Amino acid sequence: MTRSTRLMLSAIAISVGLSFGSTTAQAALPLVMNGQEMPTLAPVLEGVTPAVVNISVSGKKVTKQAIPEQFRFFFGPDLPPDQIQEQPFQALGSGVIIDSDKGYVITNFHVIQEADEIKVTLKDGREFTAKKIGEDQQSDIALLQIKPKDLSQVKLANSDQLRAGDFAIAIGNPFGLGQTVTSGIVSALGRSGLNIENLENFIQTDAAINSGNSGGALINLRGELIGINTAILGPNGGNIGIGFAIPSNMVKDLTDQIIKYGEVRRGVLGVMGGELTTDLAKAFGYDKQNGAFVSQVMPGSAADNAGIKAGDIIVSINDNPVRSFGELRAKVATMGAGKVVNLGIIRDGKAQAVQVTLKQSDEMTTPVKSI
């Protein structure tokens, strides 16, 4: 091995050590392997991949075929009923075991949507029939359960501590090939406005994600779950380096509610607003463009009780920055009713802090511009 190669490998190890701590870096990237200096992610993956599962579903999609309007007059009062058709389907996806004792598996709602039978296959080949515990279509999360027997689980990371540039590893079942691992970085945080889901606060990554990766794990170099891979931007379902994952903190908030209540009890702040533009920021004495602009506060709402006013700019939630109105909306809605949250706001150019107790939404679907 040349001196330049050794220097390059040393630089990689030092870089990762600075980002994640020397102990973790040595576990993830041993400097000596089989007598050669060779970086590898294998030690991290060996502890995580047994907890990432393949999911196969089957069911029947019910479609209603109506008689075209132009032909209805032929039948008169004896108009036959609309034709109901059942179309069998099968689909593949991925999932992550988050509780080995109780057999809880997290995946995407769209993976198991309308499924009559859900099969979970572990890396070691064991197959289980899964029971659906609960789901949340708006955030695209579903919780399954399998019989716990010698299972592995993935520890959830604090996704609010992620930074663009952090290393990320995606694990899933692309195109039904079986468990596959890809790597990249966190490309961006707080992505919303993509019209993929109703509640969007995505981690963007360039780790290769393809069809079948949905519901799989996005992990850090500590082997902790930072997100559930959910969607991609790309032609014909292929990867172009733009993938999206639901942050682990949102996953935890939602699954905790499903386990406790059997449903998601969506939190609501009680404001209407939109994305913060440069002109709006300047008009209200703020010199940045990150934040959520409040245009209206609902009387008697959680926000009203906390003293939030129209014209306020919400810039943080629980000391974590708010990048957009869409990100704030997703976080509030998935935190759950009754949660006490601390909001940082800008009012008349001055920073303030308010404490809010979220109320429960009366509607299953919240208007797009309100939270």
Side-chain angles (χ1 to χ4, degrees), residues 31-47:
L31 294 181
V32 179
M33 187 174 184
N34 297 328
Q36 294 183 346
E37 295 179 356
M38 186 65 66
T40 177
L41 296 172
V44 172
L45 294 170
E46 286 167 359

Side-chain angles (χ1 to χ4, degrees), residues 65-79:
Q65 186 173 4
I67 297 173
E69 197 65 38
Q70 61 266 35
F71 295 122
R72 286 178 174 264
F73 72 93
F74 285 116
F75 297 95
D78 300 322
L79 181 69

Side-chain angles (χ1 to χ4, degrees), residues 179-230:
Q179 194 174 89
T180 302
V181 177
T182 56
S183 67
I185 63 170
V186 173
S187 303
L189 298 165
R191 288 296 196 210
S192 61
L194 304 172
N195 297 320
I196 298 172
E197 306 299 343
N198 190 265
L199 298 173
E200 297 182 346
N201 175 30
F202 291 121
I203 301 166
Q204 182 182 327
T205 180
D206 66 348
I209 296 174
N210 290 284
S211 178
N213 271 104
S214 291
L218 189 69
I219 65 171
N220 59 23
L221 290 190
R222 296 187 184 93
E224 300 166 334
L225 186 74
I226 59 176
I228 294 294
N229 299 320
T230 298

Side-chain angles (χ1 to χ4, degrees), residues 309-327:
K309 299 179 180 180
D312 286 348
I313 301 169
I314 300 175
V315 295
S316 69
I317 180 168
N318 290 338
D319 297 322
N320 296 303
V322 170
R323 301 169 187 83
S324 66
F325 192 86
E327 179 184 9

Side-chain angles (χ1 to χ4, degrees), residues 56-334:
S56 60
V57 302
S58 60
K60 293 181 180 179
K61 288 186 177 180
V62 179
T63 58
K64 182 183 292 187
Q65 186 173 4
I67 297 173
E69 197 65 38
Q70 61 266 35
F71 295 122
R72 286 178 174 264
F73 72 93
F74 285 116
F75 297 95
D78 300 322
L79 181 69
D82 294 336
Q83 298 297 308
I84 304 297
Q85 294 184 340
E86 292 184 345
Q87 185 68 36
F89 75 92
Q90 292 182 328
L92 298 172
S94 307
V96 184
I97 301 173
I98 59 171
D99 189 323
S100 58
D101 293 331
K102 296 182 179 179
Y104 287 139
V105 179
I106 196 75
T107 188
N108 286 133
F109 167 79
H110 75 259
V111 170
I112 54 88
Q113 186 177 7
E114 299 182 343
D116 296 324
E117 185 178 58
I118 305 171
K119 293 288 187 181
V120 169
T121 304
L122 306 187
K123 184 184 179 183
D124 61 15
R126 286 183 292 164
E127 185 178 84
F128 297 85
T129 297
K131 173 186 177 183
K132 184 175 71 174
I133 301 300
E135 62 191 28
D136 182 39
Q137 184 174 359
Q138 291 189 47
S139 60
D140 201 10
I141 283 294
L143 182 66
L144 311 177
Q145 188 174 33
I146 59 178
K147 294 179 180 179
K149 185 178 179 181
D150 300 326
L151 301 178
S152 298
Q153 70 180 47
V154 178
K155 180 182 178 181
L156 272 65
N158 181 356
S159 56
D160 285 330
Q161 294 180 351
L162 285 175
R163 299 173 299 169
D166 285 348
F167 289 105
I169 305 168
I171 312 171
N173 180 27
F175 301 111
L177 291 172
Q179 194 174 89
T180 302
V181 177
T182 56
S183 67
I185 63 170
V186 173
S187 303
L189 298 165
R191 288 296 196 210
S192 61
L194 304 172
N195 297 320
I196 298 172
E197 306 299 343
N198 190 265
L199 298 173
E200 297 182 346
N201 175 30
F202 291 121
I203 301 166
Q204 182 182 327
T205 180
D206 66 348
I209 296 174
N210 290 284
S211 178
N213 271 104
S214 291
L218 189 69
I219 65 171
N220 59 23
L221 290 190
R222 296 187 184 93
E224 300 166 334
L225 186 74
I226 59 176
I228 294 294
N229 299 320
T230 298
I232 59 173
L233 289 182
N236 304 317
N239 172 67
I240 59 170
I242 303 177
F244 301 100
I246 301 169
S248 57
N249 285 6
M250 282 183 60
V251 171
K252 184 180 187 306
D253 286 336
L254 291 166
T255 53
D256 284 349
Q257 293 173 59
I258 292 172
I259 292 169
K260 185 174 182 178
Y261 306 114
E263 62 181 2
V264 172
R265 298 188 175 181
R266 202 169 308 288
V268 63
L269 186 58
V271 301
M272 296 187 70
E275 305 305 341
L276 185 64
T277 65
T278 303
D279 291 339
L280 271 176
K282 287 182 179 179
F284 288 89
Y286 188 47
D287 59 358
K288 300 179 181 178
Q289 200 173 329
N290 289 334
F293 179 73
V294 177
S295 61
Q296 183 179 346
V297 177
M298 312 302 182
S301 66
D304 187 31
N305 294 340
I308 295 175
K309 299 179 180 180
D312 286 348
I313 301 169
I314 300 175
V315 295
S316 69
I317 180 168
N318 290 338
D319 297 322
N320 296 303
V322 170
R323 301 169 187 83
S324 66
F325 192 86
E327 179 184 9
L328 176 67
R329 179 173 176 270
K331 285 187 173 182
V332 166
T334 53

